[in-house]
Amino acid sequence: MPAKIIDILNQMLFTSIYEKSSLLNEDFFVKLTSLENLILSNNKLSQLDKTTFKGLTQLWNLDIRKNGLCSLDATLFAGLENLKNLYLRENKLTQLDEPTFRGLGKLERLDLSNNILSSLDASIFADLTSLKYLYLSENKLTQLDETIFQGLN
Protein backbone atom coordinates (compact mmCIF):
# COMPACT_ATOMS: atom_id res chain seq x y z
CA MET A 1 0.00 0.00 0.00
CA PRO A 2 1.48 3.41 -0.91
CA ALA A 3 2.69 5.48 2.06
CA LYS A 4 0.35 8.36 1.19
CA ILE A 5 -2.69 6.10 1.50
CA ILE A 6 -1.42 4.76 4.81
CA ASP A 7 -1.00 8.32 6.08
CA ILE A 8 -4.58 9.18 5.09
CA LEU A 9 -5.92 6.04 6.73
CA ASN A 10 -3.84 6.73 9.81
CA GLN A 11 -5.69 10.02 10.30
CA MET A 12 -9.09 8.36 10.23
CA LEU A 13 -10.98 7.93 13.46
CA PHE A 14 -13.39 5.46 11.92
CA THR A 15 -13.08 2.59 9.53
CA SER A 16 -15.34 -0.20 8.44
CA ILE A 17 -14.51 -3.31 6.49
CA TYR A 18 -17.18 -4.08 3.93
CA GLU A 19 -15.41 -6.91 2.19
CA LYS A 20 -17.03 -10.24 2.89
CA SER A 21 -13.77 -11.86 3.89
CA SER A 22 -13.51 -14.86 6.17
CA LEU A 23 -10.05 -14.03 7.51
CA LEU A 24 -8.08 -10.87 8.13
CA ASN A 25 -4.39 -11.48 7.57
CA GLU A 26 -1.98 -11.08 10.45
CA ASP A 27 -0.88 -7.49 11.07
CA PHE A 28 -3.76 -6.30 8.84
CA PHE A 29 -4.08 -2.97 10.68
CA VAL A 30 -0.48 -2.64 11.96
CA LYS A 31 0.22 0.71 10.25
CA LEU A 32 -2.97 2.38 11.53
CA THR A 33 -1.51 3.32 14.89
CA SER A 34 -3.86 6.30 15.42
CA LEU A 35 -7.03 4.33 14.72
CA GLU A 36 -9.59 4.80 17.48
CA ASN A 37 -12.77 3.19 16.17
CA LEU A 38 -12.85 -0.07 14.22
CA ILE A 39 -16.09 -1.63 13.01
CA LEU A 40 -15.91 -5.10 11.52
CA SER A 41 -19.52 -6.11 12.13
CA ASN A 42 -21.69 -7.96 9.63
CA ASN A 43 -18.89 -9.67 7.80
CA LYS A 44 -18.15 -13.34 7.41
CA LEU A 45 -15.04 -13.44 9.55
CA SER A 46 -14.56 -16.98 10.76
CA GLN A 47 -11.26 -16.37 12.55
CA LEU A 48 -8.90 -13.60 13.56
CA ASP A 49 -5.15 -14.00 13.73
CA LYS A 50 -3.67 -13.24 17.15
CA THR A 51 -1.81 -10.24 15.65
CA THR A 52 -4.79 -8.75 13.78
CA PHE A 53 -5.06 -5.81 16.19
CA LYS A 54 -1.34 -5.47 16.93
CA GLY A 55 -0.22 -1.85 17.24
CA LEU A 56 -3.72 -0.36 17.61
CA THR A 57 -2.81 1.26 20.92
CA GLN A 58 -5.24 4.18 20.47
CA LEU A 59 -8.25 1.97 19.75
CA TRP A 60 -11.13 2.62 22.13
CA ASN A 61 -14.03 1.01 20.22
CA LEU A 62 -13.93 -2.43 18.58
CA ASP A 63 -17.05 -3.89 17.01
CA ILE A 64 -16.84 -7.43 15.63
CA ARG A 65 -20.52 -8.32 16.00
CA LYS A 66 -22.40 -10.57 13.61
CA ASN A 67 -19.57 -12.62 12.19
CA GLY A 68 -18.90 -16.34 12.32
CA LEU A 69 -16.25 -16.36 15.02
CA CYS A 70 -16.21 -19.65 16.95
CA SER A 71 -13.14 -18.90 19.05
CA LEU A 72 -10.73 -16.11 19.90
CA ASP A 73 -7.02 -16.43 20.51
CA ALA A 74 -6.35 -15.74 24.18
CA THR A 75 -3.94 -12.91 23.23
CA LEU A 76 -6.07 -11.31 20.47
CA PHE A 77 -6.75 -8.17 22.51
CA ALA A 78 -3.28 -7.87 24.07
CA GLY A 79 -1.94 -4.33 23.81
CA LEU A 80 -5.36 -2.67 23.48
CA GLU A 81 -5.02 -0.85 26.81
CA ASN A 82 -7.27 2.04 25.74
CA LEU A 83 -10.20 -0.13 24.65
CA LYS A 84 -13.46 1.02 26.23
CA ASN A 85 -16.06 -0.82 24.14
CA LEU A 86 -15.87 -4.37 22.83
CA TYR A 87 -18.79 -5.85 20.91
CA LEU A 88 -18.66 -9.60 20.28
CA ARG A 89 -22.39 -10.35 20.13
CA GLU A 90 -23.98 -12.61 17.53
CA ASN A 91 -20.98 -14.77 16.77
CA LYS A 92 -20.59 -18.48 17.44
CA LEU A 93 -18.28 -18.27 20.44
CA THR A 94 -18.39 -21.44 22.51
CA GLN A 95 -15.69 -20.65 25.05
CA LEU A 96 -13.33 -17.90 26.15
CA ASP A 97 -9.98 -18.59 27.77
CA GLU A 98 -9.17 -16.84 31.06
CA PRO A 99 -6.57 -14.42 29.64
CA THR A 100 -8.81 -13.20 26.77
CA PHE A 101 -9.59 -9.88 28.47
CA ARG A 102 -6.34 -9.52 30.42
CA GLY A 103 -4.93 -5.99 30.36
CA LEU A 104 -8.21 -4.35 29.35
CA GLY A 105 -8.50 -2.29 32.52
CA LYS A 106 -10.23 0.61 30.76
CA LEU A 107 -12.96 -1.54 29.21
CA GLU A 108 -16.38 -0.17 30.15
CA ARG A 109 -18.71 -2.11 27.85
CA LEU A 110 -18.48 -5.80 26.90
CA ASP A 111 -21.18 -7.43 24.81
CA LEU A 112 -20.99 -11.23 24.63
CA SER A 113 -24.70 -11.81 24.05
CA ASN A 114 -26.13 -14.13 21.40
CA ASN A 115 -23.24 -16.58 21.32
CA ILE A 116 -23.04 -20.23 22.35
CA LEU A 117 -21.13 -19.78 25.62
CA SER A 118 -21.99 -22.55 28.07
CA SER A 119 -19.52 -21.65 30.83
CA LEU A 120 -17.10 -18.91 31.79
CA ASP A 121 -13.89 -19.19 33.79
CA ALA A 122 -14.23 -17.71 37.29
CA SER A 123 -11.48 -15.15 36.60
CA ILE A 124 -12.47 -14.21 33.03
CA PHE A 125 -13.44 -10.66 34.08
CA ALA A 126 -10.73 -10.18 36.76
CA ASP A 127 -8.87 -7.37 34.93
CA LEU A 128 -12.01 -5.47 33.91
CA THR A 129 -12.00 -3.04 36.81
CA SER A 130 -13.73 -0.25 34.82
CA LEU A 131 -16.52 -2.44 33.41
CA LYS A 132 -19.94 -0.80 33.63
CA TYR A 133 -21.98 -2.78 31.11
CA LEU A 134 -21.79 -6.55 30.62
CA TYR A 135 -24.15 -8.34 28.25
CA LEU A 136 -24.38 -12.12 28.53
CA SER A 137 -27.96 -12.79 27.37
CA GLU A 138 -28.90 -15.41 24.79
CA ASN A 139 -26.06 -17.83 25.55
CA LYS A 140 -26.17 -21.35 26.93
CA LEU A 141 -24.95 -20.42 30.40
CA THR A 142 -26.48 -22.58 33.13
CA GLN A 143 -24.38 -21.45 36.07
CA LEU A 144 -21.67 -18.95 36.93
CA ASP A 145 -19.03 -19.21 39.62
CA GLU A 146 -19.97 -17.05 42.62
CA THR A 147 -16.66 -15.16 42.34
CA ILE A 148 -16.91 -14.34 38.63
CA PHE A 149 -17.89 -10.71 39.24
CA GLN A 150 -15.49 -10.16 42.15
CA GLY A 151 -13.44 -7.01 41.63
CA LEU A 152 -15.90 -5.39 39.23
CA ASN A 153 -17.34 -2.03 40.22
Side-chain angles (χ1 to χ4, degrees):
M1 193 179 309
K4 188 171 186 173
I5 292 175
I6 290 172
D7 288 342
I8 291 169
L9 290 173
N10 214 12
Q11 298 304 314
M12 293 173 53
L13 297 180
F14 173 85
T15 191
S16 184
I17 304 298
Y18 292 103
E19 295 177 28
K20 299 299 181 185
S21 172
S22 62
L23 173 66
L24 292 178
N25 297 330
E26 62 183 66
D27 300 332
F28 191 84
F29 302 106
V30 74
K31 302 243 185 212
L32 302 178
T33 56
S34 297
L35 193 67
E36 295 179 355
N37 189 9
L38 179 58
I39 300 176
L40 298 168
S41 61
N42 271 332
N43 284 287
K44 294 181 181 177
L45 298 171
S46 59
Q47 58 184 341
L48 295 170
D49 186 85
K50 66 182 177 182
T51 61
T52 299
F53 305 121
K54 181 180 176 183
L56 298 182
T57 56
Q58 300 305 308
L59 196 67
W60 59 267
N61 187 63
L62 179 56
D63 185 347
I64 41 184
R65 292 177 290 161
K66 297 183 179 182
N67 281 288
L69 299 171
C70 295
S71 64
L72 301 173
D73 186 278
T75 61
L76 179 64
F77 305 119
L80 301 182
E81 297 92 10
N82 289 307
L83 198 63
K84 290 186 177 186
N85 302 308
L86 179 56
Y87 302 97
L88 294 165
R89 79 177 281 133
E90 295 181 58
N91 278 290
K92 297 176 183 177
L93 298 173
T94 57
Q95 72 174 31
L96 296 170
D97 294 329
E98 180 274 323
T100 302
F101 306 119
R102 190 175 292 160
L104 300 182
K106 293 183 181 178
L107 196 69
E108 295 177 2
R109 184 179 308 262
L110 176 59
D111 190 347
L112 294 167
S113 59
N114 291 85
N115 279 288
I116 313 172
L117 297 169
S118 58
S119 66
L120 292 170
D121 187 277
S123 59
I124 189 79
F125 305 125
D127 280 7
L128 305 183
T129 55
S130 299
L131 197 66
K132 295 177 183 175
Y133 304 97
L134 175 62
Y135 305 94
L136 295 170
S137 63
E138 302 297 324
N139 277 291
K140 296 187 180 282
L141 298 168
T142 56
Q143 66 180 27
L144 295 172
D145 188 282
E146 62 187 43
T147 62
I148 196 166
F149 303 117
Q150 197 169 3
L152 300 182
N153 292 330

